[in-house]
Amino acid sequence: MVKGLVIGIIVGIAICVGVTYYYFASGMAPVAVSDPLMPFERRLANMALEAHIDKQHVGQPPITADEANLMAGANVYKRNCAECHGLPGHPSDNVNMMFPKPTQLFKGKGVTDDPPAVSYWKSANGIRLSGMPSFKKNLSDTQLWQVSLLVAHGNDVPEPVRNDLLAATESQPSTVNQADEKTPEGKRSGGARSK
Ligand code: HEC
């Protein structure tokens, strides 16, 4: 009786492992940006990420969300983040070219419902297999907090900060994707990327 149960459990586990292996090894699993979601993919990925960040106990921002810090955050944002996460009223072109889609941080609630510490962790460490880069080698700790405070206030940035963010879109009204201050004006009209 007990022996039968044990054999049943072992066979059951072997079938589960075999089916999962076959799903990935046979090329059935989604791998392209436009493929549909894998069963439980989003829930499992979010669960792992949230649990991991929770365990890190990042703590409270060491700086306040005053206008000077938000303005400094906007500077960091324009250079490093806007290309994927968009600007107020200007979604990024990358939204439809990536999986998962980069959240538009100035659209709707963005990440204003996440504590700044969570965005700080994500900006510092990146998100594996998502296209979200890690910025801890390129940005200082203060800059990481400044940009995290900015996105935490994505839906209520002070007017001067908003204007500063939008100054980046003046030369390219429909996209922020090709904002490259070093590109000479003449090259832009050809539509070719300079890189
Ligand atoms: C090359 C594109 C790219 C760049 C550049 C980029 N990100 Fe991201 N980011 C992503 C993607 C993709 C995700 C994953 C969205 C998801 O998990 O659904 C993401 C996720 C995030 C999230 C979590 C969003 C959410 O919905 O929970 C935050 C916050 C974030 N990025 C902040 C930043 C900041 C700040 C910068 C600049 C310092 C930046 N990102 C630069 C692509 C990018």
Side-chain angles (χ1 to χ4, degrees):
M1 183 69 182
V2 176
K3 202 175 152 198
L5 187 69
V6 170
I7 291 176
I9 291 173
I10 293 174
V11 170
I13 293 174
I15 290 174
C16 284
V17 171
V19 167
T20 309
Y21 179 82
Y22 181 75
Y23 179 66
F24 286 98
S26 67
M28 278 161 66
V31 288
V33 164
S34 58
D35 284 346
L37 278 170
M38 214 158 41
F40 309 113
E41 184 173 349
R42 192 176 295 280
R43 190 177 310 168
L44 288 176
N46 284 344
M47 191 165 76
L49 185 63
E50 280 163 24
H52 185 88
I53 296 177
D54 219 42
K55 258 173 67 183
Q56 306 295 308
H57 303 296
V58 177
Q60 293 303 311
I63 54 172
T64 55
D66 56 25
E67 199 173 306
N69 278 326
L70 294 181
M71 196 62 111
N75 242 322
V76 172
Y77 187 89
K78 281 189 292 185
R79 285 171 201 274
N80 301 280
C81 325
E83 118 182 61
C84 288
H85 290 292
L87 290 163
H90 295 259
S92 149
D93 287 348
N94 284 1
V95 136
N96 295 316
M97 300 198 294
M98 297 180 72
F99 181 95
K101 291 181 193 307
T103 312
Q104 296 306 287
L105 298 177
F106 292 98
K107 192 172 169 210
K109 64 179 170 55
V111 286
T112 53
D113 54 348
D114 280 348
V118 169
S119 297
Y120 167 88
W121 190 93
K122 290 176 180 173
S123 306
N125 298 286
I127 305 174
R128 205 177 164 96
L129 296 184
S130 84
M132 168 63 192
S134 155
F135 288 93
K136 65 180 162 201
K137 295 211 173 98
N138 303 47
L139 297 175
S140 70
D141 207 51
T142 306
Q143 286 175 314
L144 286 166
W145 278 113
Q146 285 165 333
V147 78
S148 305
L149 287 173
L150 175 79
V151 298
H153 288 83
N155 54 3
D156 63 349
V157 280
E159 200 60 26
V161 178
R162 190 185 150 87
N163 290 342
D164 186 66
L165 283 167
L166 288 176
T169 65
E170 269 163 20
S171 48
Q172 297 96 7
S174 65
T175 176
V176 295
N177 202 18
Q178 299 181 14
D180 181 351
E181 284 150 36
K182 280 175 269 162
T183 310
E185 285 301 322
K187 277 197 186 164
R188 282 203 189 115
S189 52
R193 301 295 307 261
S194 55
K195 282 183 241 164

